[in-house]
């Protein structure tokens, strides 16, 4: 059986190097692919501009849409609660910032741990609510495919193991810290090749949507 | 020598001017360290008073003598060291080194006279690469350990080297160093890890053995749970600063002066299980975190290879910055190649783009 400390050394060592390599190369290739393929040339005559509608759509698609909110409130609420919770616990927890600082040479101030902890709980609850919504809502159920469940698990594991590690609820600590890091590495490896890529492409996609509609003279 | 061996520990302590009160104080301290209820103090005192001095053979292999220094010097002349003096330390080659063959003879005598009953204490790792890397009186470490372990009642592996391989085993492990438990599998082994271990932890383990005639409860690394059961982080007096998000960023900034958490400066307290935060060092004077330096994690296996001592625990062991840069460069090259292929595909698509008129479509096929 692998010892917890050996396991921790492994996930903090060579496995992390592998995960970072796949993650970085994967993301860059995906961007090159998206940008170099572009969209096929629209031969029709332009009926409007691209720039302003593109920017406008980046903003409108980021804010909750009223119609959707009325019909599917849980989709909106769980989505926001989860994303805010995830972002706060990811980029404002001091041990995470230290990793960014080591990687890129700069950091930023973090939040006190109890606030990050609360955000993490919100994130976990939001994610569970989103899953509940996917399973129980008939429309969501039709729209959900296996990849959605995969990325849900890949996102949930780091959050729950991080929560358990922070509260030291699993003994010995190296085991749960190791599992937390391993779950991140899984996330990083799958990231570029699944819809998790939306983290980086969301504004680009919203721009495309707005610009294409603008060019055709329709509202987006 | 034989006469003194027959004497009980209590008699020897009294002869050496240790008062009953002083002895009971030691028993109380030891009992609380071992997390025994106060009602156990008289039992402990009685057992220790009546204990015959067990024969102890101390073997030192690939080590730096830090463990021995920690035990023999830092607590002298405390009661702990008296207890230590009054076990029958029949062989300790570092302390007996000038005695030459006489020391080896003493070891063999102790082994014969107390066969099956003596305690074997080992510090230092054992090289498997080449027996010549470390020898004592011409005997290789491996051979001496196997020989001496045969008749031992139990083995106490003192220090990270004996317990886990320690510094000699650190990457790239030039001597092929291994721990005691990698070689001896048929004897009870208790690992008292640390670099060096806390002196009272050793005396506590020995006292436990004298009192109960068996080894204390052990964790998954065969360390006594009473001393290695909680992490440094959980018992750290600086823990409230960790929770509040108040960290020292350098060793001389405002945070360091105010005694804030040392996580950012590489403290490995969260992953380290040891008694430093409660037992402290130098007769309870201080311990590393109290003196302003993060925990190195010295009671954990392979702590030498667990990344930079001054890197936060969340930072991976490898050079993550360099890896990211290399991966980024590789990504750019591969991405550019993919873009080149895409360009070709698109150009081909444009070339093959045929114009179709209404007339073409209406032609019968």
């Amino acid at each position: 059986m692998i010892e917890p400390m050996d396991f921790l050394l492994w996930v903090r060592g060579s496995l992390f190097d592998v995960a970072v390599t796949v993650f970085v190369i994967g993301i860059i290739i995906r961007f090159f692919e998206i940008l170099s393929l572009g969209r096929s040339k629209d031969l029709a005559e332009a009926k409007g501009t691209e720039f302003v509608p593109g920017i406008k759509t980046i903003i409108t698609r980021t804010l909750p849409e009223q119609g959707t909110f009325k019909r599917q409130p849980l989709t909106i609420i769980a989505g926001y609660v989860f994303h805010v919770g995830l972002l706060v616990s990811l980029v404002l927890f001091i041990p995470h910032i230290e990793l960014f600082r080591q990687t890129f040479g700069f950091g930023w101030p973090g939040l006190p741990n109890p606030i990050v902890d609360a955000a993490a709980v919100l994130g976990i609850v939001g994610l569970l609510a989103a899953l509940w919504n996917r399973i129980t809502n008939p429309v969501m159920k039709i729209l959900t495919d296996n990849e959605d469940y995969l990325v849900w698990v890949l996102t949930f594991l780091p959050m729950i193991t991080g929560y358990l590690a922070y509260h030291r609820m699993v003994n010995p600590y190296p085991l749960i810290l190791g599992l937390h890091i391993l779950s991140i590495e899984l996330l990083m490896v799958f990231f570029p090749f699944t819809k998790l890529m939306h983290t980086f492409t969301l504004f680009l996609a919203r721009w495309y949507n707005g610009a294409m509609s603008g060019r055709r003279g329709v509202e987006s | 020598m034989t006469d003194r061996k027959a004497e009980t520990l209590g008699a020897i302590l009294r002869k050496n001017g240790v008062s009953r009160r002083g002895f009971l104080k030691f028993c109380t301290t030891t009992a609380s360290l071992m997390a025994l209820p106060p009602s156990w103090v008289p039992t402990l005192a009685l057992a220790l008073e009546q204990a015959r001095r067990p024969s102890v053979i101390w073997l030192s292999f690939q080590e730096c003598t830090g463990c021995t220094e920690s035990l023999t010097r830092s607590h002298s002349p405390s009661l702990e060291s008296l207890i230590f003096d009054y076990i029958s330390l029949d062989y300790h080659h570092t302390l007996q080194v000038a005695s030459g063959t006489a020391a080896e003879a003493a070891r063999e005598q102790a082994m014969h006279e107390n066969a099956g009953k003596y305690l074997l204490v080992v510090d230092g790792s054992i090289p498997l690469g080449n027996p010549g890397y470390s020898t004592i009186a011409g005997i290789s470490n491996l051979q001496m350990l196997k020989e001496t372990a045969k008749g031992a009642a139990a083995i106490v592996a003192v220090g990270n080297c004996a317990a886990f391989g320690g510094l000699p085993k650190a990457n790239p492990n030039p001597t092929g160093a291994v721990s005691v438990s990698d070689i001896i599998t048929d004897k009870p082994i208790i690992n008292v890890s640390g670099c060096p271990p806390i002196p009272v932890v050793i005396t506590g383990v020995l006292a436990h053995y004298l009192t109960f005639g068996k080894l204390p409860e052990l964790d998954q690394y065969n360390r006594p749970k009473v001393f290695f059961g909680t992490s440094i982080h959980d018992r750290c007096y600086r823990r409230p600063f960790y929770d509040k998000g108040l960290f020292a960023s350098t060793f001389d900034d405002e945070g360091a002066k105010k005694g804030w958490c040392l996580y950012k400066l590489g403290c490995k307290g969260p992953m380290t299980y040891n008694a430093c935060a409660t037992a402290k060092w130098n007769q309870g004077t201080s311990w590393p975190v109290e003196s302003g330096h993060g925990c190195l994690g010295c009671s954990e296996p392979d702590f030498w290879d667990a990344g930079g001592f001054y890197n936060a625990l969340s930072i991976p062991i490898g050079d993550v910055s360099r890896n990211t840069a290399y991966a980024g460069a590789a990504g750019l090259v591969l991405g550019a190649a993919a873009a080149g292929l895409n360009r070709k595909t698109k150009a081909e698509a444009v070339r093959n783009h045929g114009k179709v008129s209404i007339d073409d479509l209406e032609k019968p096929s």
Side-chain angles (χ1 to χ4, degrees), chain B residues 56-223:
Chain B
V56 173
I57 296 177
W58 183 301
L59 299 178
S60 300
F61 298 139
Q62 292 193 124
E63 45 83 46
C64 69
T65 315
C67 295
T68 300
E69 292 285 350
S70 162
L71 285 163
T72 57
R73 190 173 292 170
S74 63
H75 270 219
S76 181
S78 72
L79 269 169
E80 285 95 320
S81 72
L82 281 179
I83 289 284
F84 213 71
D85 284 344
Y86 294 108
I87 56 173
S88 179
L89 189 54
D90 291 333
Y91 177 84
H92 187 308
H93 95 252
T94 308
L95 303 178
Q96 285 175 314
V97 71
S99 307
T101 48
E104 292 309 309
R107 177 173 68 91
E108 276 162 25
Q109 192 189 342
M111 281 165 61
H112 287 302
E113 283 178 6
N114 306 290
K117 286 186 288 188
Y118 60 86
L119 262 184
L120 174 59
V121 181
V122 180
D123 67 333
S125 63
I126 301 97
L128 294 183
N130 178 336
Y133 282 141
S134 178
T135 62
I136 297 157
I139 306 168
S140 77
N141 290 171
L142 181 65
Q143 193 191 342
M144 186 177 275
L145 176 64
K146 279 184 170 169
E147 255 176 34
T148 319
K150 226 173 260 170
I155 302 173
V156 184
V158 168
N160 201 294
C161 297
F164 305 125
L167 178 62
K169 196 192 160 207
N171 191 29
N173 190 3
T175 63
V178 295
S179 68
V180 173
S181 53
D182 285 332
I183 294 168
I184 308 296
T185 48
D186 57 348
K187 293 281 175 189
I189 296 177
I190 179 164
N191 285 330
V192 181
S193 64
C195 191
I198 307 169
V200 291
V201 173
I202 309 244
T203 53
V205 169
L206 292 175
H208 190 285
Y209 183 75
L210 292 176
T211 310
F212 301 109
K214 60 175 177 136
L215 295 175
E217 199 189 343
L218 304 178
D219 73 0
Q220 61 183 330
Y221 291 119
N222 288 332
R223 299 179 297 197

Side-chain angles (χ1 to χ4, degrees), chain B residues 6-25:
Chain B
E7 278 182 275
T8 64
L9 195 60
I12 293 164
L13 288 173
R14 271 190 290 283
K15 204 185 277 175
N16 281 274
V18 176
S19 68
R20 177 87 187 144
R21 181 184 163 78
F23 176 65
L24 284 176
K25 262 172 83 178

